[in-house]
């Protein structure tokens, strides 16, 4: 009995699906009610309409009529689709519950009732034919309806092309006559514009789901009901609470059928049939596929680029750099500039009204990254003037941070490098720009093997190999540091082994900033030789960097024991203190590998004693979080390595990292260096110097090295000799706050157009900008024998995401903004009267994170506008970061209970 039932059921399913494959018959018109909606909102627990969203609904009557069928293949037909009585409804505050839609007059009311014809073959639509000149939105809507008619009646996985693009489709069958179509990995065919940041941490995450559930008539497989649902989420990877959601539904409900007389076209092939169809219907038809076409955006209350610049002139003032207002102005103008022509952009640059904000405008032009913007800038700037480098250098600096550079712009800059420019500082910035752009270009999709990358890498390596002095070596070492190609590491190691102190430190730092997967066992062995001085005696900074890298790459028990034994004699207490601080910091952060090995090693009496663990130098190495990471946000933190020599600052490096669960990015590296300052007391304690360095007497020098988003910038040098230093002291040059570097740059940059299965298209956009202002001041009193310095790292940041649907009859949009403005202060106080004492403090003042969501809906050709706005402020407490115990004791000794 059981077997007989199974046989019967199998036969039934076979006969059922044989019947379903027949579907529509010539001479019958099949009528449907049609409804589709698009809603935009912040992410919700369930894909349902709420009072907070904006969006629209479109409904109408659809008629599907087969007008031709192949004489030898009943599964090949030409279907005519018409839509009548279309009506637009939009979300409104006065709308009825629960959905809140209200009918509105729109251009939908004037849509022509032109048909489209689809070439249907065994449930697949290969081509469509629409009437020339029909409204694009109307054609796209009909393509969405036609896409619903594309259905298979058996379990199958395959690629299909429909209104959403080329998709992977999986058909699942359930009860007889019920089928579910699941769509994934859809690639738009007619909307190819797409870019995202090459580093995931600063990217956008878009997650999509799409499905259509069918109920077919058992007798002939005619669609009785089709219900489609799709969702698209746009999230900021670094802050997933900053997000938007798009929900789209489509319903096709069978309402009846009727016999109709059809004047069928004649022909055996597609071209013959369409030719005869056009003749009989007198319609001028054009062929296409099911994919949506980009609609023409009806610009409402748009402003010209010149008007927008005038509106944001105050925010673009140099005094506002480092603020949220400056970052917001950058984003607004960037989006407009990406739509502007070369002539329009050049007119903005040459206008005398903009002279005071020209540098900020160049930041925006450089970040625009269109062919028009690049040509406008290159036509405006002069790279060969010896003394006027401010404008071209500012353009190069921001261009080096491009998120999706073109080969055209890289080749233009690379040709300038090869030809040379008259100013050496501008040439240095130009070299760094090419290196940075090539690095980013190499990480873009399908670019890894492009000849331009190998050409640039070979060029800089050859230049480095031919250098005959420290300045030249440091230039091309920094270029390779920015370029970040694995094949350059052996050459950089060679520089570490052979070059003088400054170049060796620079090369070691270049290797340290390479991606961690570049550091293999062979390089680890070279780093061990460097740290233990087996190839030559290395500067303490080189050894500290080498040790840091070795500790980051799962150190062995043998290595860690040898490291700790080396610091046992306390011969160089400052280096020893840095190394021990680094180990303790890694353990505090939960590095299990280092923690386990360290616990094993200190069990030995020769290691676990005061001489090893009781280092009391003023130097330090520590890391602290800026923000606490979670499942919904990236973790922002900084690490600081402070190296003291003779009681005075030798080198300090602050690295700011942004990390998520998969990747990290060095957002900023801010390094201070000083040397030759024995005049203020103290003497060198560094016994790890080479013979070349001993012969080379170091003159007084100090400066700042900045790397922004892994891109090296030209160092800012305070002074290079004692006479220059004393000139600053007597004149008080730096006693007032002085800007070292300021500007604006692009952080997040994502554009993706996602066609919906109803035929309309969402544009998903994410743009983030940072406006920065790095400044400092130094006050030295020879009378009081003390000095005070302040370094400020100030930044304002805005992340703006947008999801919008633009059609000829309605425009709807959601925009979310997250902004913050903060500062990191590094204060040093020095007393050099009777001995040397120094107190260092690092602090961050109170700050606020401001979030707002703006929703907008408009009907082109009418006065209807709906706006919704929400804002919240999240306070962030200020912090003072503890460095080490000895520094705290010195600060207390110098200032007592005085609040600082």
């Amino acid at each position: 009995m059981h077997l007989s039932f199974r046989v019967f059921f199998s036969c039934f399913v076979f006969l059922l699906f044989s019947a379903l494959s027949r579907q529509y018959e010539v001479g019958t018109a099949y009528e449907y009610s049609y409804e589709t909606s698009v809603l935009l909102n912040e992410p919700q627990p369930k894909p349902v309409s709420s009072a907070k969203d904006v969006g629209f609904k479109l409904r109408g009557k659809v008629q599907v009529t087969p007008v031709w069928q192949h004489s030898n293949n009943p599964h090949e037909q030409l279907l005519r689709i018409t839509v009548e009585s279309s009506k637009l409804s939009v979300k409104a505050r006065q709308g009825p519950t629960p959905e809140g839609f209200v009918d509105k007059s729109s251009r939908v009311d004037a849509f022509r009732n032109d048909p489209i014809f689809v070439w249907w073959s065994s449930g697949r639509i290969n081509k469509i034919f629409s009437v020339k000149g029909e409204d694009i939105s109307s054609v796209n809507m009909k393509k969405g309806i036609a896409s619903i008619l594309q259905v298979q009646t058996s379990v199958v996985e395959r690629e299909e092309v429909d209104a959403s693009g080329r998709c992977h489709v999986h058909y699942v069958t359930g009860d007889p006559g019920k089928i579910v179509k699941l769509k994934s990995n859809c690639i738009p065919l007619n909307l190819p514009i797409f870019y995202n940041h090459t580093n995931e941490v600063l990217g956008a995450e878009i997650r999509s789901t799409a499905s259509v559930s069918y109920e077919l008539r058992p007798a002939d497989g005619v669609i009785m009901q089709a219900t489609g649902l799709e969702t698209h989420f746009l999230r900021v990877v670094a802050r997933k609470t900053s997000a938007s959601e798009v929900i789209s539904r489509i319903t096709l409900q069978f309402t009846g059928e009727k016999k109709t007389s059809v004047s069928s076209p004649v022909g055996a092939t597609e071209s013959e049939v369409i030719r005869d169809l056009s003749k009989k219907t007198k319609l001028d038809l054009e062929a296409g596929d099911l994919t949506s076409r980009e609609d023409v955006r009806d610009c409402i209350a748009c402003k010209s680029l010149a008007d927008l610049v005038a509106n944001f002139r105050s925010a673009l003032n140099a005094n506002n750099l480092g603020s949220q207002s400056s970052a917001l102005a950058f984003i607004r103008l960037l989006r407009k500039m990406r739509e502007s022509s070369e002539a329009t952009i050049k007119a903005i640059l040459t206008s005398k009204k903009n002279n005071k904000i020209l540098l900020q405008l160049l930041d925006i032009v450089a970040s625009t990254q269109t062919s028009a913007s690049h040509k406008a800038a290159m036509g405006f700037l002069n790279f060969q003037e010896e003394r006027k480098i401010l404008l071209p250098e500012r353009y190069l600096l921001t261009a080096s941070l491009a998120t999706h550079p073109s080969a055209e712009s890289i080749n233009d800059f690379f040709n300038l490098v090869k030809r040379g420019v008259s100013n050496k500082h501008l040439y240095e910035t130009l070299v760094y720009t090419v290196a940075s752009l090539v690095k980013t270009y190499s990480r873009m999709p399908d670019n890894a093997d492009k000849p331009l990358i190998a050409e640039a890498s070979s060029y800089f390596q050859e230049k480095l190999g031919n250098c005959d002095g420290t300045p030249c070596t440091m230039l091309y070492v920094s270029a390779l540091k920015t370029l970040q190609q694995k094949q350059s590491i052996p050459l950089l190691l060679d520089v570490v082994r052979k070059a003088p102190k400054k170049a060796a430190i620079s090369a070691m730092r270049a290797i340290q900033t390479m991606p961690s997967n570049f550091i293999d066992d062979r390089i680890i062995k070279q780093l061990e030789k460097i740290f233990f001085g087996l190839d030559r005696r290395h500067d303490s900074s080189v050894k500290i960097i080498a040790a840091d890298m070795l500790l980051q790459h799962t150190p062995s028990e043998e290595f860690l024991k040898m490291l700790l034994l080396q610091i046992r004699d306390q011969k160089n207490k400052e280096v020893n203190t840095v190394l021990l601080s680094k180990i303790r910091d890694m353990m505090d952060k939960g590095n299990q590998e280092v923690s386990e090995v360290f616990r094993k090693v200190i069990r030995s009496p020769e290691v676990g004693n005061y001489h090893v663990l009781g280092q009391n130098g003023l130097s330090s190495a520590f890391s602290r979080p800026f923000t606490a990471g979670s499942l919904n946000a990236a973790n922002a933190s900084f690490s600081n390595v402070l190296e003291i020599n003779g009681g005075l600052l030798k080198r300090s490096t602050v690295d700011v990292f942004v990390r998520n669960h998969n990747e990290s990015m060095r957002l900023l590296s801010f390094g201070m260096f000083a040397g030759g300052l024995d005049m203020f007391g103290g003497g060198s304690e560094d016994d790890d110097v080479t013979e070349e360095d001993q012969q080379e007497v170091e003159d007084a020098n100090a400066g700042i090295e900045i790397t922004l988003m892994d891109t090296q910038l030209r160092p800012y040098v305070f002074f290079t000799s004692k006479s220059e230093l004393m000139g600053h002291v007597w004149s008080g040059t730096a006693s007032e706050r002085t800007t070292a570097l300021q500007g604006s740059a692009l952080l997040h940059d994502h554009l993706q157009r996602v066609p919906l299965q109803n035929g309309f298209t969402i544009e998903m956009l994410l743009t983030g900008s940072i406006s920065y202002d790095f400044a400092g001041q130094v006050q030295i009193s020879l009378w009081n024998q003390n000095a005070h310095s302040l370094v400020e790292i100030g930044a304002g940041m805005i992340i703006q995401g947008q999801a919008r649907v633009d059609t000829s009859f309605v425009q709807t949009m959601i925009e979310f903004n997250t902004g913050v403005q903060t500062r990191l202060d590094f204060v040093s106080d020095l007393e050099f009267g009777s001995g040397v004492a120094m107190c260092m403090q690092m602090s961050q003042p109170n700050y606020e994170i401001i979030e707002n969501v703006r929703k907008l809906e408009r009907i082109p050709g009418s006065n209807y506008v709906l706006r919704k706005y929400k804002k919240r402020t999240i306070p962030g407490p200020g912090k003072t970061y503890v460095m080490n115990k000895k520094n705290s004791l010195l600060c207390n000794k110098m200032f007592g209970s005085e609040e600082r």
Side-chain angles (χ1 to χ4, degrees):
M1 180 71 179
H2 178 67
L3 179 63
S4 300
F5 174 78
R6 289 180 62 186
V7 171
F8 170 76
F9 184 76
S10 299
C11 292
F12 173 77
V13 171
F14 175 78
L15 292 172
L16 172 66
F17 283 121
S18 297
L20 293 187
S21 65
R22 293 201 301 272
Q23 297 214 355
Y24 301 102
E25 292 183 1
V26 176
T28 302
Y30 301 85
E31 297 176 334
Y32 293 88
S33 63
Y34 164 76
E35 184 177 283
T36 187
S37 62
V38 179
L39 299 174
L40 283 71
N41 202 354
E42 300 136 87
Q44 303 296 312
K46 294 182 180 180
V48 295
S49 176
S50 73
K52 297 179 180 179
D53 53 31
V54 292
F56 65 91
K57 182 187 289 185
L58 197 61
R59 66 181 189 276
K61 296 178 180 179
V62 174
Q63 190 175 90
V64 179
T65 308
V67 297
W68 175 88
Q69 182 173 292
H70 198 287
S71 57
N72 298 323
N73 182 7
H75 306 305
E76 187 172 0
Q77 296 180 325
L78 184 68
L79 306 179
R80 180 181 67 202
I81 299 174
T82 57
V83 182
E84 297 178 341
S85 306
S86 297
K87 191 64 183 178
L88 174 71
S89 303
V90 296
K91 275 304 195 79
R93 291 188 178 90
Q94 301 81 18
T97 57
E99 293 188 326
F101 285 105
V102 172
D103 288 352
K104 291 287 183 181
S105 298
S106 69
R107 291 172 182 170
V108 170
D109 302 334
F111 276 174
R112 291 167 15 195
N113 192 27
D114 291 329
I116 67 164
F117 298 88
V118 301
W119 198 272
W120 184 92
S121 178
S122 299
R124 186 191 290 267
I125 294 174
N126 299 316
K127 196 174 284 186
I128 70 114
F129 302 89
S130 59
V131 178
K132 285 184 179 178
E134 186 178 1
D135 185 280
I136 293 175
S137 294
S138 176
V139 175
N140 285 341
M141 175 184 68
K142 292 169 186 173
K143 285 182 176 182
I145 295 170
S147 296
I148 296 294
L149 301 179
Q150 187 165 252
V151 59
Q152 296 298 303
T153 57
S154 59
V155 177
V156 65
E157 288 189 52
R158 66 180 193 178
E159 271 196 353
E160 285 185 358
V161 174
D162 64 10
S164 301
R166 181 181 288 111
C167 305
H168 178 80
V169 179
H170 184 198
Y171 287 94
V172 181
T173 61
D175 296 335
K178 292 188 177 180
I179 297 166
V180 177
K181 177 165 63 175
L182 304 173
K183 295 163 57 176
S184 60
N185 301 324
C186 293
I187 301 173
L189 300 180
N190 295 333
L191 306 168
I193 297 178
F194 169 82
Y195 47 80
N196 196 5
H197 204 287
T198 54
N199 190 299
E200 181 187 323
V201 175
L202 294 180
E205 177 186 73
I206 291 184
R207 291 190 177 178
S208 303
T209 63
S211 64
V212 184
S213 298
Y214 292 91
E215 184 177 335
L216 308 183
R217 189 160 63 187
D220 52 12
V222 167
I223 296 173
M224 300 303 291
Q225 184 182 56
T227 304
L229 170 66
E230 63 183 309
T231 59
H232 302 274
F233 295 88
L234 168 66
R235 287 187 173 94
V236 181
V237 171
R239 187 177 177 82
K240 291 188 177 180
T241 53
S242 298
S244 62
E245 176 185 33
V246 178
I247 303 170
S248 176
R249 298 179 185 273
I250 185 169
T251 301
L252 201 62
Q253 179 70 52
F254 181 78
T255 57
E257 61 185 75
K258 62 182 179 181
K259 294 296 181 180
T260 182
S261 59
V262 176
S263 178
S264 296
V266 178
T269 65
E270 176 192 296
S271 58
E272 291 175 354
V273 170
I274 298 303
R275 192 182 306 116
D276 191 53
L277 178 68
S278 297
K279 184 178 179 181
K280 287 181 176 177
T281 60
K282 295 182 172 54
L283 295 174
D284 187 7
L285 300 175
E286 58 181 353
D289 57 30
L290 271 180
T291 55
S292 303
R293 291 164 56 195
E294 186 172 3
D295 214 336
V296 177
R297 183 180 297 178
D298 190 348
C299 193
I300 300 174
C302 281
K303 293 186 177 181
S304 68
L305 180 59
D307 289 340
L308 281 176
V309 170
N311 285 357
F312 288 110
R313 195 179 304 281
S314 174
L316 290 173
N317 191 285
N319 293 332
N320 284 321
L321 286 170
S323 68
Q324 283 190 65
S325 62
S326 178
L328 182 60
F330 178 95
I331 289 177
R332 296 290 192 198
L333 287 168
L334 174 76
R335 291 184 178 173
K336 185 65 180 179
M337 207 168 277
R338 284 181 166 171
E339 303 171 355
S340 303
S341 66
E342 177 185 350
T344 301
I345 296 171
K346 196 167 183 179
I348 292 297
L349 295 176
T350 54
S351 172
K352 292 183 178 179
K353 295 178 182 178
N354 299 327
N355 284 348
K356 292 184 178 180
I357 58 170
L358 191 52
L359 290 172
Q360 287 70 259
L361 288 175
L362 283 171
D363 288 338
I364 301 168
V365 174
S367 300
T368 299
Q369 301 174 72
T370 62
S371 179
S373 65
H374 177 68
K375 288 177 180 177
M378 296 300 282
F380 170 71
L381 297 168
N382 186 343
F383 290 88
Q384 296 301 338
E385 285 192 56
E386 171 68 29
R387 297 183 179 180
K388 296 181 179 180
I389 70 165
L390 184 61
L391 296 180
E393 186 170 42
R394 181 65 166 263
Y395 179 73
L396 290 172
L397 190 156
T398 308
S400 68
L401 305 173
T403 54
H404 53 278
S406 65
E408 171 196 13
S409 62
I410 296 173
N411 279 316
D412 282 348
F413 294 138
F414 199 9
N415 289 332
L416 270 175
V417 168
K418 293 172 184 175
R419 290 198 304 267
V421 295
S422 55
N423 186 285
K424 66 177 184 179
H425 295 311
L426 184 61
Y427 179 79
E428 184 177 358
T429 300
L430 188 58
V431 166
Y432 298 154
T433 298
V434 171
S436 179
L437 292 176
V438 171
K439 173 193 66 182
T440 304
Y441 183 75
S442 71
R443 295 175 180 178
M444 291 166 61
D446 305 320
N447 281 359
D449 298 322
K450 292 290 178 70
L452 176 59
I453 300 160
E455 182 186 356
S457 182
S458 298
Y459 181 85
F460 291 132
Q461 288 186 61
E462 183 180 344
K463 283 287 188 181
L464 177 57
N466 294 331
C467 282
D468 59 0
T470 297
C472 173
T473 301
M474 292 184 68
L475 168 62
Y476 292 107
V477 161
S478 295
L480 293 177
K481 170 188 172 185
T482 298
L483 190 62
Q484 293 197 347
Q485 298 293 307
K486 186 174 182 178
Q487 60 266 32
S488 66
I489 294 180
L491 184 56
L492 292 170
L493 284 168
D494 198 50
V495 173
V496 174
R497 287 190 293 265
K498 297 177 182 178
K501 178 177 71 174
K502 287 185 179 180
I505 294 172
S506 182
M508 202 67 230
R509 179 67 171 159
I511 299 170
Q512 185 187 32
T513 57
M514 293 285 178
S516 60
N517 62 308
F518 286 6
I519 310 302
D520 54 28
D521 291 341
R522 183 177 53 85
I523 295 170
I524 291 291
K525 290 178 181 178
Q526 295 295 317
L527 293 173
E528 288 178 349
K529 286 183 178 180
I530 289 168
F531 175 72
F532 292 113
L534 301 180
D535 50 359
R536 68 176 261 194
R537 296 180 69 183
H538 289 283
D539 178 82
S540 61
S541 297
V542 170
K543 293 179 65 174
I544 287 170
I545 296 171
D548 180 53
M549 295 181 68
L550 290 166
L551 290 169
Q552 297 287 351
H553 288 81
T554 316
S556 66
E557 186 175 334
E558 180 186 10
F559 167 74
L560 195 55
K561 183 174 182 179
M562 291 176 65
L563 183 151
L564 293 172
L565 287 174
Q566 191 173 79
I567 71 175
R568 182 172 55 178
D569 61 6
Q570 299 196 356
K571 194 173 181 181
N572 192 333
K573 63 180 181 180
E574 295 298 344
V575 176
N576 298 350
T577 302
V578 172
L579 297 176
L580 195 59
S581 298
K582 187 67 184 176
I583 294 170
R584 285 172 170 159
D585 183 61
M586 294 177 73
M587 293 170 63
D588 290 342
K589 289 192 297 183
N591 189 311
Q592 293 299 322
E593 291 87 357
V594 172
S595 297
E596 289 175 9
V597 175
F598 183 78
R599 290 191 191 101
K600 288 181 182 178
V601 169
I602 61 170
R603 290 173 188 163
S604 169
E606 60 181 340
V607 176
N609 56 64
Y610 173 80
H611 297 290
V612 172
L613 304 178
Q615 308 296 332
N616 65 342
L618 189 57
S619 300
S620 64
F622 62 91
S623 58
R624 301 285 186 268
F626 275 133
T627 59
S630 67
L631 292 174
N632 294 318
N635 176 42
S637 63
F638 75 89
S639 64
N640 176 242
V641 176
L642 181 68
E643 191 179 353
I644 303 298
N645 189 26
L648 301 173
L649 174 70
K650 177 185 178 185
R651 183 170 295 272
S652 174
T653 303
V654 177
D655 290 324
V656 179
F657 293 94
V658 181
R659 294 183 174 92
N660 68 354
H661 301 292
N662 301 317
E663 202 167 347
S664 68
M665 181 180 193
R666 197 185 308 264
L667 187 64
L668 170 69
S669 181
F670 193 90
M672 293 179 286
F673 60 88
L677 300 178
D678 296 351
M679 62 186 293
F680 291 110
S684 175
E685 298 175 3
D686 191 353
D687 63 335
D688 295 307
V689 293
T690 65
E691 293 180 6
E692 294 94 327
D693 294 328
Q694 287 176 337
Q695 295 168 3
E696 181 182 334
V697 178
E698 186 176 24
D699 204 347
N701 68 91
I704 295 174
E705 292 176 336
I706 299 171
T707 302
L708 198 55
M709 288 185 276
D710 281 331
T711 297
Q712 178 75 48
L713 307 184
R714 185 165 63 82
Y716 187 89
V717 179
F718 300 143
F719 53 85
T720 56
S721 66
K722 289 180 180 177
S723 60
E724 190 177 349
L725 168 61
M726 293 310 297
H728 289 311
V729 171
W730 293 119
S731 63
T733 310
S735 59
E736 298 297 325
R737 185 181 184 277
T738 304
T739 295
L741 181 72
Q742 60 180 189
S744 298
L746 200 55
L747 278 181
H748 306 78
D749 196 15
H750 180 97
L751 172 63
Q752 185 171 352
R753 294 191 174 119
V754 181
L756 301 172
Q757 55 189 4
N758 62 9
F760 305 118
T761 299
I762 325 163
E763 182 177 270
M764 299 188 122
L765 193 66
L766 179 67
T767 313
S769 73
I770 183 170
S771 178
Y772 56 90
D773 184 15
F774 304 155
Q777 66 182 92
V778 179
Q779 297 168 337
I780 301 175
S781 172
L782 297 180
W783 180 263
N784 294 320
Q785 294 182 310
N786 60 24
H788 172 81
S789 68
L790 167 65
V791 174
E792 291 181 0
I793 305 174
M797 186 176 73
I798 291 285
I799 302 173
Q800 187 176 94
Q802 195 178 91
R804 60 185 298 156
V805 178
D806 286 283
T807 70
S808 64
F809 57 86
V810 69
Q811 297 173 329
T812 187
M813 179 195 77
I814 179 172
E815 178 184 280
F816 59 84
N817 294 271
T818 302
V820 66
Q821 183 174 325
T822 189
R823 193 178 75 242
L824 189 65
D825 294 339
F826 190 91
V827 179
S828 299
D829 287 280
L830 174 68
E831 292 180 353
F832 50 88
S834 56
V836 176
M838 184 163 64
C839 167
M840 291 165 292
Q841 299 170 79
M842 187 178 291
S843 61
Q844 179 186 13
N846 293 336
Y847 63 93
E848 288 182 336
I849 298 174
I850 299 174
E851 294 181 336
N852 64 65
V853 178
R854 186 168 67 102
K855 301 167 188 174
L856 180 67
E857 191 161 80
R858 290 168 167 163
I859 298 179
S862 78
N863 294 324
Y864 177 79
V865 178
L866 173 67
R867 293 186 176 92
K868 296 181 180 181
Y869 183 80
K870 183 178 77 172
K871 178 181 178 180
R872 72 168 181 159
T873 300
I874 306 168
K879 301 175 184 176
T880 296
Y881 298 97
V882 177
M883 292 190 176
N884 59 30
K885 185 176 181 180
K886 186 166 183 180
N887 181 70
S888 299
L889 291 173
L890 283 172
C891 291
N892 288 335
K893 181 179 178 182
M894 291 173 67
F895 302 110
S897 60
E898 180 183 348
E899 293 290 333
R900 293 191 65 81

